[in-house]
Each structure stands twice: as C-alpha cells, then as structure tokens.
Amino acid sequence: MKSCAKTDVGRKRTINQDNVYRMDQPIGSLPNLYIVADGMGGHNAGDYASRTCIEILPESVQISSVLTPIGVLQEAINKANEEIYRRSCEDPLLEGMGTTVVVATVFGNKMYVANIGDSRLYLLNQTTIHQVTEDHSLVEAMVRNGELKKEEARVHPNKNIITRALGTDKQVTADFFEVTLKENDIVLMCTDGLSNMLEDQEILHIVNSYSESLMATAAQLVKEANECGGKDNIGIVLMRL
C-alpha cells in the first residue's frame, strides 16, 4: 500500500479537532491501518477525543489476539469508546466529548472498514466515486426515509448533527464493510470538512487530475475545500494499491 495523510484547520475554526493516522507496515495481526477521526465537544475536548481515538486504536490492534480483521477492529473500537467515555465522565472539562471515526485495513485486494459518525470512506477509479460508509447523521436518516433529497443534505441547517459517535455512551455500535479492490483504485477517507465543501464529482475530478501523487492530491483537495469556504477542519487519508 501507498498512502498519505493530511489535516488542515480550515478558514473558520481556530482549533483543529481532526486527527488522522496511517501505518503502511504491519501492526499486530493487521498488515496496515488507517484512521480518520473528527472530534466534537467544547474547548479542546473534541481535539482530545479524536486524538485519544487514534492513540487507543493502534495500541489495541498491536496487542490484540483476535484472529479476524473485523474482530480486531471491533475490539479496538470498543476499547477506544470505553476510554474516551471514562475520561469524559471523570473530567468536567471533557464532559460530553466524542468523535467520529472511520478505520480501514487492507489484506491483498480485500479492504475491511468500520465507521461511526459522518466521516467517510470513498472508493474511486477513473470514472466513478462510491461512498462505502453510511453517515450516522440526522440528515442521512432523513434521506433514507425519503424526507430529504441527497443533494439537499449537504446544505441542510442540521447537516452537522450526528446520531452516533465514539465515546458519548458506554457502548457504541460500528458499521462494518468488506470491499474488493482493483488495481489503481484509490481510497479516500475524510471528515465532513471535505465532503461538506465539495461535491462527490468535484472530489473525483481532483483525484483523477492529481493521481500521480497522493500528497499532491491531498493538498489540492484541502486547497479547494478551503476555497469553497473552509467552514470546518479537514482530515484526509489517501491510499492506493
């Protein structure tokens, strides 16, 4: 795997609550590990939650004795959830904190993905962009129920209300996905600071225009998200077989 990771505070925020992690080499029983997290909470609590997430997840993966990749990810997510929730209960300054998370690992041409919240994982090739994960958000629930059109969701006033987050409750349920990758597929993991600023087809155009360099692609995605308003922090992990 080849990968790169990038975060940016955006143009409206003073604190960056997005945190990213990438490991192209084996970690525990997994051949690689990629994480994007978008924290929520007042003051520095959101940054603390997302940073704790990307610290606990790799630590758990490293020592896990679970045999399946989904099992390893599930165990790590549970441990991160327990730790963030415990700290939020013990420190009044961290009360109510939480974070989204999307995490992936690739075995050969199989990718295993878990997500909680509205940070996303996309699969792209030269002609198509496909959102693998499903947002745990109020507007996404409205779309699924037929109350809102997909194109209306990005500009809805309640688009930032998420219905599931890591660390806000004693227990949390992640969604899991198994994806078959093809040669030259590109995987994009990102926070809503990117997906709320750029349409999917704009993302696809940028990725294909700068596909020779993952770092150049990430830099251009951040640049154009900021040019469109940069209303939130931006977190990105890009991968290619």
Side-chain angles (χ1 to χ4, degrees):
M1 291 296 295
K2 294 181 179 179
S3 72
C4 75
K6 187 174 181 62
T7 64
D8 189 86
V9 71
R11 292 188 172 178
K12 302 295 184 181
R13 303 292 179 90
T14 57
I15 297 173
N16 191 351
Q17 296 188 332
D18 289 0
N19 275 287
V20 296
Y21 175 94
R22 69 182 183 96
M23 173 59 72
D24 295 330
Q25 305 303 318
I27 174 170
S29 62
L30 302 184
N32 43 61
L33 185 66
Y34 308 95
I35 309 167
V36 169
D38 180 0
M40 48 180 273
H43 304 290
N44 292 322
D47 169 62
Y48 187 88
S50 62
R51 188 158 24 94
T52 301
C53 171
I54 65 163
E55 290 171 355
I56 300 295
L57 280 172
E59 289 175 1
S60 175
V61 168
Q62 184 71 59
I63 63 174
S64 178
S65 59
V66 178
L67 299 179
T68 65
I70 292 296
V72 172
L73 297 182
Q74 177 73 78
E75 180 185 56
I77 286 169
N78 288 342
K79 287 184 177 180
N81 185 76
E82 292 168 4
E83 186 62 20
I84 294 170
Y85 182 75
R86 182 186 66 80
R87 295 182 191 184
S88 72
C89 292
E90 292 178 352
D91 187 340
L93 293 178
L94 302 177
E95 184 178 359
M97 71 174 176
T99 183
T100 70
V101 63
V102 56
V103 53
T105 184
V106 178
F107 282 72
N109 70 336
K110 295 292 185 182
M111 177 170 62
Y112 301 91
V113 182
N115 85 290
I116 297 169
D118 61 357
S119 292
R120 296 177 176 178
L121 185 144
Y122 290 97
L123 184 62
L124 305 93
N125 57 36
Q126 290 186 341
T127 58
T128 62
I129 176 170
H130 169 62
Q131 182 182 335
V132 173
T133 54
E134 295 183 0
D135 296 351
H136 302 136
S137 67
L138 179 62
V139 295
E140 184 61 27
M142 294 170 69
V143 170
R144 286 196 295 267
N145 292 334
E147 303 170 34
L148 195 68
K149 293 181 180 179
K150 188 71 175 178
E151 56 270 22
E152 296 172 334
R154 288 181 63 253
V155 295
H156 195 279
N158 293 328
K159 67 180 181 295
N160 292 325
I161 298 177
I162 60 174
T163 55
R164 203 185 304 178
L166 191 75
T168 55
D169 294 292
K170 286 184 178 181
Q171 295 181 330
V172 70
T173 301
D175 289 347
F176 293 93
F177 306 86
E178 180 180 328
V179 181
T180 299
L181 300 176
K182 298 178 181 177
E183 188 176 1
N184 295 322
D185 278 350
I186 292 179
V187 177
L188 167 65
M189 302 164 66
C190 67
T191 61
D192 64 347
L194 180 72
S195 57
N196 280 343
M197 292 294 99
L198 299 176
E199 297 276 4
D200 286 2
Q201 290 302 313
E202 292 176 308
I203 293 173
L204 177 63
H205 175 72
I206 295 167
V207 169
N208 283 332
S209 298
Y210 292 84
S211 60
E212 292 302 313
S213 167
L214 291 180
M215 187 57 74
T217 303
Q220 189 65 22
L221 287 168
V222 167
K223 179 176 181 291
E224 298 207 20
N226 278 327
E227 288 178 351
C228 288
K231 295 180 181 179
D232 202 350
N233 310 143
I234 304 160
I236 293 172
V237 169
L238 280 166
M239 299 179 275
R240 179 167 52 201
L241 283 174

